[in-house]
Amino acid sequence: QLPEQPALEPAQKGSPASYYKTFALYLEGNGEYDLKAQCMGFGGGLGFYIAGVNLQATYQMAQVGRLDLRAGFGLKLGRFFMMTPQVGYSMFMEVPCEKWTSHTDSEGYFYLYHEEYTEQINAISLACRFQACLTKNIALSITPEYRIFEEGVLDPVKGVTLDGFNVRAGLVINFGQ
């Protein structure tokens, strides 16, 4: 008679979300919808998680180009989901602006001057990234975001809407462990 073999336990696999908690380097391609401007934008980003801390850089192209730099902390929600509250800095590149000035000379003639120019405009970004980890290497993300501008900084902006709320959805490819 053969000796009794111990029952084999199924291998315990880490949940897909756990790979993003320890170390993950990821690329993200995304689409964005700005609710106030009612327009679409597209972009991509690079980020990483180390022990839950998240740093991310993205470039978006909608009405104007925008570079976003964000930091956050990933919170695992079950086996497949993560939530990462983020705070960041948004830089809008080459925003079209205009300025009107007037002048009255010593003879009483009135002059009105119009100047058009482009400018970089910055904002603070508050976001919360939600991620559904399909496998250890592929995830879907959705990120609602709100931007806060310094008072008066948007006054000269012409023809584009920068303030307000937007939502970004993306495909994430993770190169982590």
Side-chain angles (χ1 to χ4, degrees):
Q1 181 176 15
L2 291 173
E4 200 171 301
Q5 297 290 327
L8 295 175
E9 294 291 321
Q12 292 294 321
K13 287 182 162 183
S15 70
S18 68
Y19 292 103
Y20 290 85
K21 255 323 245 183
T22 53
F23 174 77
L25 173 67
Y26 62 89
L27 293 174
E28 178 179 71
N30 60 57
E32 174 180 270
Y33 184 72
D34 190 306
L35 298 174
K36 188 170 184 181
Q38 295 185 351
C39 72
M40 290 288 297
F42 299 94
L46 172 69
F48 64 87
Y49 285 91
I50 293 179
V53 175
N54 172 240
L55 294 176
Q56 178 179 348
T58 58
Y59 184 79
Q60 295 297 123
M61 190 63 207
Q63 294 176 321
V64 295
R66 183 179 82 238
L67 177 64
D68 291 324
L69 304 172
R70 294 199 189 111
F73 190 80
L75 305 169
K76 204 169 109 176
L77 305 174
R79 287 181 39 87
F80 298 97
F81 298 98
M82 281 188 66
M83 177 178 77
T84 307
Q86 297 173 314
V87 64
Y89 186 68
S90 294
M91 294 173 280
F92 293 85
M93 319 293 185
E94 298 186 4
V95 177
C97 297
E98 67 180 352
K99 178 169 61 172
W100 290 89
T101 56
S102 62
H103 168 70
T104 304
D105 68 13
S106 59
E107 296 180 12
Y109 291 104
F110 178 77
Y111 298 93
L112 185 61
Y113 301 100
H114 179 246
E115 177 186 359
E116 292 187 2
Y117 58 98
T118 61
E119 184 171 275
Q120 177 181 311
I121 294 181
N122 304 317
I124 298 296
S125 164
L126 302 174
C128 192
R129 186 170 191 258
F130 295 94
Q131 188 167 302
C133 306
L134 306 177
T135 70
K136 92 173 208 178
N137 298 104
I138 298 174
L140 300 175
S141 71
I142 188 161
T143 308
E145 173 189 30
Y146 185 77
R147 293 181 297 272
I148 302 168
F149 293 86
E150 188 177 323
E151 188 174 334
V153 77
L154 296 178
D155 292 345
V157 173
K158 172 189 170 194
V160 296
T161 303
L162 303 179
D163 61 332
F165 181 78
N166 67 40
V167 177
R168 181 181 306 164
L171 174 66
V172 179
I173 299 178
N174 174 28
F175 299 101
Q177 317 190 31

